[in-house]
Amino acid sequence: MAKKIFLIKHVKARIKKPATIALMLLLQVFVGLGQPLAVATYNLRGDDPRDVGNGWSARKYMVSDQIRRHKLDLIGIQETNVNMVVDLMSTIPDLDSIGAFTKVTTGILYNKRRLALLDHGNFYLSATPDQESKGWDAKFKRMCVWGRFKDRLTGHEYTIFNSHFDHVGVMSRTNSIKLLLEKSKQIAGNADQILMGDLNTTQYDPNYLNVNNSGLFKDCYNLALNNHEKLRGTGNGFNIHRRQRIRVDHIFLSGKLQSYEYNILTELYNEHTASDHYAVMSLIGPKANDLGDLYRQFPEDFENITTVIPRYGNIKVRSRTGEWLFKGGILGGSIGNDRPTSGNHAVRLINNNPEPVYLQMNFDVPEGASRVTVQHGIYAADSACRWQLEYSTNQGRTWKETGPVVVSHQAEKQQAIFVLDITGKVRFRIKKMAGTENNGRLSIDDFTIYKRSATGPERVNVPLLAWQFSPFPDQGAKKARSSFNAKGIEQTVFKRGAGLSAFAGDSSLASVRPGFTVVAGKPVRDTSEAILAESFFEFTVQVANRFDAALQTLDLRAMSTGTVKKIWYWKYSLDGKSFRALAKPFEFTDSFASSQTTIDLSVNPDLQHLTNGQQVHFRLYVAGLEGRDDLISIGSVHRDENNESGADYALILTGLIKKK
């Protein structure tokens, strides 16, 4: 084993005796998989005296708290000076480190009670990687630090690569990617690998796509069975209000590893962030099998299509995943109008189409499907449009609808999630619904499919509860009965909390269409005020006797007015008293109906085994309310009066239901 550099020995000598750090509890979702490893990449900004108000002397306690709070086992660190490493290891004695911090401020922190270091080393990001050197057009010397570790709990071995790419040199970043891929093969071969760091490379950059589509690594953002953060990027510049979706900090896994959760750690400490980057975290481990795994050629980002598509028509194109049919579609390349979520392109489907138009797979995936995710939005400032996912199990001869009707209303992409249980070969398509007026162009990107996660007979995900508030019969009412409830689910009511009151004025003046429309009795500026003021909507799910249910997805169409962004966030309770966060908050302000980023309930073990009268209480808190001129409403502006399937609802809960 290579010797540790003197610096690390020196650091260890200055640290107190180890103290026990509690290990993570084995979560139900990981039974049989072993305890997952909590991995993070974190740019710590350095110890810069110019950071007035954000100095390391205060931030070190924030970073230590995050490491403890999230029970991080392994952290790729960047912009971390020697004294910062000493501070963190002194505060958390179970941490050890590898790196050459006196030369390049990049290294790896690891929990030595959980991980045994087997080997380690480093190389420079340059044409002479084995010599201290600056590479290509880089402004600074850059390095990759690697280590091979054995998990003391599971016996599994991982090789970790952590790096920090140059922020100036374009050629340096391109060549650094190539060097990393080459070195990972030389050092780790076919062993399980994690590649992470601040790569100064966004998800739109060809260098990112070269890694994510290399066949060697895949981003945890795509792999995660539960992605907690879909709306925020990884940089913040010490600005707590920044909401850019640009990601430059990444964690990639090799093919035999799985990401169970992905998160961007956005905790605030007295209205301060712990660094000018957020930590990116993932729970990872070896795959027990391929059940539920991402088809690794996905997501389809439509970046390598060479076919020229001059106009909307009926055109077949070849992409990395297979052949696609653009029926009424073109390949859009406007960053400002198509708003791709990765790369530079998105598929754009025509507006005011008199007949349905499609983005369609002309090929099958072989191992069924458990989940499909789609990034969707409108083109530029077009009108809202409606679409639905369909699937075929007979090579496209016939198609079936699945999931709710989705309303795309904003240019910024949202993620739609469809939870499925389909066996065998299957293909999918997006059907944009017909409408010759106020039917805007639909923009689609990052179409992603996950393999079937179950064995045995197929289970059908169906609507369990749904509401349609358009038009709402009584604007003064405090509650509304469910418009639909499946057999085995009791009828229930949707109601408002005490801090919200009915709106009795002319809602058309505020461009809010009929719906369950309310106003706040007083300003509600943040989430803590929303809880105190009881600024929420609420409903309860109750399973009937002799039935079993598993909740799968929750979709909402919400509207609001005012110039301040509204903060919406779901909580749930099993006893009606103690409420837990269901998902991270989401934000928008728009007078048109919004198809909220779908809440995937299938990853929450509390909601998968409900039986015999059990209840789950759901609350949707809303903050960012300025007063009585600020309206919020649950409703749909695009109700299909001829829709008999019950799919076009303002609020819909889906799941699996069976009689005992």
Side-chain angles (χ1 to χ4, degrees):
M1 183 172 75
K3 292 183 178 179
K4 290 190 177 184
I5 62 173
F6 173 77
L7 166 66
I8 299 305
K9 291 184 178 179
H10 178 62
V11 169
K12 291 174 68 177
R14 296 171 58 183
I15 297 183
K16 299 177 181 179
K17 294 181 180 180
T20 301
I21 294 181
L23 298 175
M24 288 187 294
L25 295 175
L26 187 62
L27 301 177
Q28 293 182 47
V29 291
F30 304 125
V31 169
L33 296 173
Q35 184 174 322
L37 200 67
V39 175
T41 178
Y42 209 165
N43 183 321
L44 292 177
R45 171 60 182 174
D47 186 359
D48 192 334
R50 294 172 297 178
D51 291 335
V52 178
N54 293 293
W56 175 247
S57 60
R59 292 192 293 111
K60 63 184 179 183
Y61 301 107
M62 307 177 195
V63 174
S64 298
D65 178 75
Q66 287 185 308
I67 294 172
R68 286 195 177 103
R69 178 182 301 189
H70 297 283
K71 301 179 176 64
L72 299 181
D73 297 306
L74 193 146
I75 313 159
I77 49 177
Q78 308 89 36
E79 296 191 26
T80 308
N81 306 108
V82 174
N83 66 298
M84 299 170 68
V85 178
V86 172
D87 287 340
L88 293 174
M89 293 172 64
S90 299
T91 305
I92 307 176
D94 282 349
L95 289 181
D96 206 340
S97 64
I98 56 175
F101 299 99
T102 56
K103 298 178 179 180
V104 178
T105 55
T106 300
I108 296 173
L109 290 171
Y110 64 97
N111 178 359
K112 60 190 177 186
R113 295 178 65 85
R114 174 73 188 265
L115 296 168
L117 180 65
L118 303 179
D119 197 2
H120 71 98
N122 58 68
F123 55 88
Y124 286 87
L125 304 182
S126 75
T128 55
D130 297 326
Q131 302 173 16
E132 184 173 345
S133 51
K134 185 171 69 172
W136 304 287
D137 56 348
K139 184 174 181 179
F140 299 116
K141 294 176 186 177
R142 301 289 182 172
M143 177 185 286
C144 176
V145 175
W146 65 269
R148 190 167 78 251
F149 297 89
K150 183 175 181 178
D151 189 335
R152 298 182 191 273
L153 291 181
T154 67
H156 199 79
E157 293 185 8
Y158 304 88
T159 303
I160 314 299
F161 296 88
N162 174 57
S163 192
H164 186 193
F165 286 7
D166 198 71
H167 64 302
V168 174
V170 176
M171 184 186 302
S172 174
R173 290 193 294 273
T174 299
N175 290 333
S176 294
I177 287 289
K178 295 177 182 178
L179 180 63
L180 264 179
L181 294 177
E182 292 171 2
K183 284 287 191 179
S184 69
K185 292 179 183 178
Q186 294 174 12
I187 294 169
N190 295 322
D192 290 338
Q193 303 170 47
I194 303 172
L195 188 160
M196 60 183 171
D198 175 359
L199 304 187
N200 273 311
T201 300
T202 74
Q203 68 269 34
Y204 310 107
D205 193 293
N207 291 321
Y208 169 87
L209 298 175
N210 288 340
V211 178
N212 207 34
N213 298 331
S214 65
L216 300 174
F217 294 98
K218 187 64 71 171
D219 193 345
C220 286
Y221 184 89
N222 303 131
L223 289 174
L225 300 180
N226 189 2
N227 186 335
H228 292 285
E229 183 60 80
K230 307 180 186 72
L231 300 177
R232 200 182 311 225
T234 63
N236 61 65
F238 292 121
N239 179 357
I240 66 174
H241 302 294
R242 182 182 290 183
R243 292 294 185 272
Q244 294 176 333
R245 297 190 182 188
I246 296 172
R247 307 192 312 273
V248 297
D249 306 272
H250 308 284
I251 303 174
F252 297 93
L253 304 182
S254 60
K256 296 179 182 179
L257 295 177
Q258 178 60 280
S259 171
Y260 301 105
E261 292 190 18
Y262 172 95
N263 205 352
I264 297 175
L265 307 184
T266 57
E267 292 97 348
L268 297 180
Y269 297 85
N270 293 323
E271 300 301 304
H272 286 269
T273 61
S275 180
D276 64 340
H277 287 234
Y278 294 118
V280 176
M281 173 188 169
S282 183
L283 297 182
I284 66 102
K287 289 193 297 183
N289 50 52
D290 284 340
L291 293 177
D293 189 25
L294 170 75
Y295 283 100
R296 294 294 171 116
Q297 69 269 37
F298 286 85
E300 176 55 76
D301 50 31
F302 306 103
E303 289 303 309
N304 63 339
I305 295 174
T306 58
T307 305
V308 177
I309 310 174
R311 59 184 178 276
Y312 295 106
N314 194 352
I315 302 172
K316 296 176 182 178
V317 301
R318 174 69 57 176
S319 76
R320 187 185 68 258
T321 56
E323 183 183 270
W324 291 74
L325 172 66
F326 288 24
K327 185 176 181 181
I330 62 173
L331 189 64
S334 170
I335 297 296
N337 293 321
D338 288 294
R339 299 286 186 94
T341 48
S342 66
N344 298 305
H345 298 92
V347 176
R348 189 190 313 159
L349 297 179
I350 195 170
N351 60 322
N352 295 332
N353 45 297
E355 298 179 348
V357 294
Y358 301 93
L359 170 62
Q360 177 176 309
M361 294 169 55
N362 279 352
F363 62 97
D364 293 328
V365 290
E367 299 178 57
S370 62
R371 188 165 50 132
V372 172
T373 66
V374 179
Q375 295 285 347
H376 66 98
I378 58 168
Y379 175 78
D382 278 13
S383 301
C385 60
R386 298 163 65 245
W387 59 275
Q388 194 159 25
L389 185 70
E390 297 184 333
Y391 71 95
S392 173
T393 54
N394 56 12
Q395 290 73 55
R397 290 191 295 274
T398 59
W399 296 84
K400 298 178 182 178
E401 298 175 345
T402 182
V405 173
V406 181
V407 176
S408 297
H409 84 289
Q410 61 185 38
E412 193 74 47
K413 291 288 189 294
Q414 296 175 289
Q415 186 181 66
I417 300 175
F418 302 87
V419 176
L420 313 160
D421 186 28
I422 301 174
T423 60
K425 295 180 179 179
V426 62
R427 63 183 61 181
F428 295 92
R429 71 180 184 182
I430 287 173
K431 178 179 76 174
K432 181 176 180 287
M433 296 185 173
T436 56
E437 294 182 358
N438 299 319
N439 180 12
R441 287 162 287 189
L442 174 63
S443 180
I444 296 293
D445 201 6
D446 283 357
F447 194 107
T448 308
I449 307 174
Y450 297 81
K451 299 175 184 179
R452 189 182 186 223
S453 59
T455 57
E458 290 185 0
R459 303 168 300 166
V460 181
N461 184 30
V462 298
L464 299 181
L465 279 173
W467 281 264
Q468 179 53 266
F469 303 119
S470 182
F472 189 66
D474 182 2
Q475 289 288 348
K478 294 182 179 180
K479 57 188 178 181
R481 289 196 173 276
S482 51
S483 307
F484 170 84
N485 57 289
K487 186 176 181 180
I489 299 295
E490 303 290 356
Q491 190 178 43
T492 187
V493 296
F494 183 84
K495 57 187 178 181
R496 53 183 169 84
L500 301 176
S501 57
F503 177 72
D506 182 2
S507 62
S508 64
L509 296 177
S511 301
V512 174
R513 305 296 180 88
F516 199 116
T517 305
V518 298
V519 296
K522 61 180 181 180
V524 180
R525 299 176 183 85
D526 57 32
T527 53
S528 59
E529 287 187 3
I531 293 172
L532 291 174
E534 298 188 16
S535 173
F536 60 76
F537 298 101
E538 183 177 38
F539 71 94
T540 300
V541 180
Q542 180 170 338
V543 181
N545 289 330
R546 298 189 298 276
F547 279 87
D548 292 326
L551 308 187
Q552 301 291 287
T553 64
L554 179 60
D555 282 271
L556 171 81
R557 295 184 188 169
M559 300 174 280
S560 64
T561 63
T563 58
V564 177
K565 282 190 175 182
K566 307 301 181 288
I567 304 171
W568 310 68
Y569 56 106
W570 285 100
K571 287 179 175 284
Y572 76 98
S573 172
L574 301 179
D575 60 9
K577 299 176 182 178
S578 176
F579 281 82
R580 308 174 190 175
L582 188 62
K584 278 197 169 183
F586 60 99
E587 299 178 353
F588 75 90
T589 296
D590 206 305
S591 59
F592 291 100
S594 166
S595 248
Q596 171 207 332
T597 301
T598 315
I599 304 297
D600 184 356
L601 306 179
S602 68
V603 298
N604 189 322
D606 285 345
L607 308 180
Q608 301 312 299
H609 305 286
L610 305 175
T611 187
N612 284 342
Q614 277 189 276
Q615 293 184 339
V616 181
H617 306 267
F618 289 94
R619 282 184 180 175
L620 175 61
Y621 285 90
V622 188
L625 302 173
E626 292 293 288
R628 297 197 64 84
D629 292 331
D630 235 355
L631 308 184
I632 51 176
S633 181
I634 311 299
S636 171
V637 300
H638 288 286
R639 184 183 183 190
D640 183 353
E641 298 296 342
N642 297 317
N643 175 21
E644 298 178 356
S645 68
D648 196 9
Y649 287 106
L651 175 64
I652 181 169
L653 176 79
T654 72
L656 310 173
I657 186 79
K658 66 177 182 180
K659 192 170 185 179
K660 291 184 177 181

